[in-house]
Amino acid sequence: MSFESICIKYKNYVSSVSVIGLVVAGSAASVHAQQTEEVVKFDIPAQKLSNALKSYGVAADRQVLFAVNLVRGKQANAVLGELQPDAALEQLLIGSGLAYEATASDVVIIKTAQQDAPVAQTLRLAPNEAEGADSVTVSEEESDVLQELEEIIVTGTNIRGVENPTTPVIQFDREDIDLSGVATVQDFVRLIPQNFGSTTPLTNNSGNPFNSPSLTEATSIDLRGLGPGSTLTLLNGRRLSLSGIGNFFDVSSLPVSIIERVDVLTDSASAIYGSDAVGGVVNFVTRRDFSGLEARARYGTVTSGNMAESQIGGTGGFRWGSGGGFISAEYTDVKSLKAADRDYVDLTTTFPDATLFPKQETFNLFGSLDQQIADRLSLTADALFTNRDTERNSFRPTRDQIFRGNRETIFVNVGLDYEINDDLTVSLFFDYGDEALETRGSDDDFADFTLYDNDVSIVEGQISGSVFELPAGRVTAALGVSYRNEGYERVGRMMGDRDVHAAYGEVLIPLIGGNQSIPLIQDLTFSAAVRYEDYSDFGDTFNPKIGLFWRLNHDLSLRGSYSEAFRAPTVATTLADTGYFFFPFSDPGLDPAQQDPRVPDGETLFLFFFGTDANVQPETAEGWTAGAEWTPGFAPGLRVEAGLFDVSYTDRLQDVDLFDPILFEDFAILLDRTPDPAFLGDLFARFSTGELELLNFTPIADPTADDVQFLVNSGLQNLSTLDVRGLDFSANYDFEAGVNVFNASFAASYLLDYEIQVTPTSAPFSARDEVYRPVDLRMRGTLSWSRDRLTAYAALNHVGGYTDNQIGNNNASIDAWTTVDLTLAYDTGGRFDAAWANGAVFSISVQNLLDEEPPFVSTGDGLNFDTANASPLGRFISFQMTMSW
């Protein structure tokens, strides 16, 4: 089989948002002898190394193969002028820690500078456009390398073979996760500056009034503080089932050992993915190309208290000529952290055994398979199973109440890809996800047994690839349709499902580029996407997105986007218990003439609606982003990015406290002082038949419609608006000093505005820098040093100071919170005679090295810190060993 045919065979081997990365162009063997002698004109700007290698391959007319994990996160130097191909490649790789080796047929393989042999890992491929490329044969060495192909998941687009440069995506790789010193996915996502910790096991069980209920200690991702349900969580680009009462996916269900990369899309993306992507998307990309055996063991403990965690895991994989697969298992046991372990907690308000971090026991099993079925037909499959037991003690100071839960998560994805030709591929996907949640309580006043079940089934078809050629490059596009069924059940109470039909399209158009030469416009690319979804229970929605990418020169590029997004009411929301309270209450605006003699003085009779309003509609949003990336030629390895974002989130579903419409002018539109007698008559007729529930708390034994004086709509309804504006900034610098390799990075998110309008008639107010709300500044800086097999890594985490706005706390200042993390890692690299030590990596990590306590906040629950913006964990030391064979 020719090298070209192998490239064509694999280049479109992808999932709906994935692509076998296109690596490089190649040439015929007949001309390889001249390639190292001829002078070639190069015009390659400083950019991502993977993209630069593609450009190099086209210009030099050479095949270039590289392992994705080697080049990820690295920057290439600018290569300008007439150079010999070898000299140009050497200049491009300066500062990357990489070298290259040319095979007998002049195929170039990128490797680490210390390697003696080509890297047999994940490779990116692409054919070149040169004539005669089909005559290139593949050596045995190259064939071995080709067997390690990886499916590259591209976040933020449905188009194959491309990355959308108009979309802001922050990427964390396997090294970032390992060096952070965390053991779980939920611990890692808390380090991302754009993520607000609104729903964690701690916030759910504290006095935080803004948490989203997360039964059995779930953890959500909440980009921009727009709400947990407003960030879409994906696994390998596919949608997962919701958790508990159906608000969001619990990332605690994902095992950290299978994660190869975490992509954070910080832009609304409903046009790409549908519901829930208002604040953005977090896509967890798993390993694909694993071959061999790997074992991991970890132990960590706090230095004050009894909390400790133990983790063991193993992965085994095998590659064969037409595919491969692996299976991974992970077990984690976490001991609880008690309130009595922290001296700043008020134990007169909080029970000493109250749980700050719950006791958890988690078992994960994950398997992945890829198989070439026929010449143009391939299959991929993933399956995840998670079982997690949790236990926590109540915060009540009067007694020790224990809550226990069990959560089982299942996810299965099967994808089939058929290549129509070299440019277009048709794909069919089958997804199934299910989560069963059981909760138990130790007291009679708590349900002894409650079971929740969420499931999702998806069938999706898509065609994607290159459409036609423009002078600036290839126009690429994707079209797709999908059917989704979402189900929810609370055993003994309610059950239901919905059907969702969707159609979507996306196009990426290069307007200027290639050999075109226009001052201050090196590349100009336009993107557009649109998605239509039709729901069986509340209607349809249509959402567009457009973007523009503009590269001014080798060093500077700009991007911008505008999008509309939505979040559908969950099935659980639409099935919520509905009814009315009939209640006497003191009305500050009561006219004495309206006094009902059957109730105490100053009170009158209110009929309160509770549950979900029958007219709920999707929450909607409009947003835009603008950003710039600078890769200065005078500082190879440096990349600086800055971006603005603005999201206006309207029609937000909001619960209303029963008495707020009576007591506060902001909610006055929900109070009807002259209710329609016909409407009341219909309600009471439904009460009498049992169709609607009436809870009567008045002295009237058998109330009628004539007894109701005022009507209050205090149910869940589309009510509020949230406007969020801010700035993201990041910098990354790779550099070398002799045999020492350094990396410095900095990432920050700054909120300019976080403005809430609780009802359409109320005045907006700023909720930024308040207790339990997003703080204006969150940032993280890291510095790593590597020499030979030793790596040292340090991180600085910072949450800015803010104000205690709680009633009675007099707007006291709350200090900023800064912590330091440290990791040391050593890779034996086969340097020892003992077989067990070959391929071993040992590391020790310390989180919160200086044991900084969370800033003091006087809270009603006695914890005395803000559970949404700080952690009581304290100094935490962990030891980890990973062995590979």
Side-chain angles (χ1 to χ4, degrees), residues 20-86:
I20 291 287
L22 301 177
V23 171
V24 240
S27 68
S30 60
V31 298
H32 81 270
Q34 290 91 21
Q35 287 176 332
T36 56
E37 300 174 3
E38 292 181 351
V39 173
V40 176
K41 183 178 180 180
F42 291 93
D43 186 12
I44 303 174
Q47 57 184 297
K48 293 180 180 178
L49 182 56
S50 58
N51 293 336
L53 288 171
K54 299 177 194 178
S55 299
Y56 170 83
V58 173
D61 201 16
R62 304 176 85 176
Q63 299 283 358
V64 184
L65 307 182
F66 57 86
V68 171
N69 61 311
L70 285 185
V71 304
R72 183 172 293 133
K74 294 183 181 295
Q75 292 292 301
N77 304 299
V79 179
L80 308 174
E82 296 185 351
L83 299 167
Q84 290 185 348
D86 283 352

Side-chain angles (χ1 to χ4, degrees), residues 692-709:
L692 271 179
E693 183 177 19
L694 175 64
L695 302 176
N696 182 18
F697 296 95
T698 73
I700 304 172
D702 189 17
T704 68
D706 293 336
D707 295 317
V708 177
Q709 294 178 281

Side-chain angles (χ1 to χ4, degrees), residues 183-228:
T184 62
V185 169
Q186 60 266 34
D187 290 335
F188 181 76
V189 298
R190 284 197 286 265
L191 301 177
I192 301 172
Q194 290 78 10
N195 181 37
F196 172 58
S198 63
T199 299
T200 66
L202 185 57
T203 58
N204 187 60
N205 302 320
S206 74
N208 181 348
F210 305 114
N211 73 81
S212 180
S214 58
L215 302 170
T216 66
E217 326 314 323
T219 299
S220 72
I221 302 176
D222 183 1
L223 296 177
R224 312 298 190 198
L226 293 172

Side-chain angles (χ1 to χ4, degrees), residues 189-331:
V189 298
R190 284 197 286 265
L191 301 177
I192 301 172
Q194 290 78 10
N195 181 37
F196 172 58
S198 63
T199 299
T200 66
L202 185 57
T203 58
N204 187 60
N205 302 320
S206 74
N208 181 348
F210 305 114
N211 73 81
S212 180
S214 58
L215 302 170
T216 66
E217 326 314 323
T219 299
S220 72
I221 302 176
D222 183 1
L223 296 177
R224 312 298 190 198
L226 293 172
S230 303
T231 298
L232 179 62
T233 303
L234 304 174
L235 183 65
N236 288 333
R238 307 304 299 171
R239 183 179 288 265
L240 298 148
S241 62
L242 298 176
S243 301
I245 59 175
N247 284 337
F248 54 82
F249 174 73
D250 175 19
V251 296
S252 307
S253 301
L254 299 177
V256 72
S257 59
I258 68 168
I259 305 301
E260 176 70 21
R261 196 177 81 238
V262 180
D263 290 346
V264 182
L265 170 61
T266 57
D267 189 9
S268 299
S270 287
I272 308 296
Y273 298 110
S275 178
D276 303 342
V278 175
V281 176
V282 177
N283 186 18
F284 294 93
V285 181
T286 64
R287 305 163 94 168
R288 274 282 185 241
D289 63 332
F290 187 86
S291 180
L293 295 173
E294 179 185 274
R296 296 164 60 96
R298 171 189 166 96
Y299 176 79
T301 180
V302 294
T303 57
S304 177
N306 297 313
M307 181 189 178
E309 63 181 21
S310 304
Q311 186 179 80
I312 57 173
T315 302
F318 181 70
R319 305 296 302 178
W320 51 89
S322 58
F326 76 92
I327 189 168
S328 180
E330 182 180 278
Y331 171 80

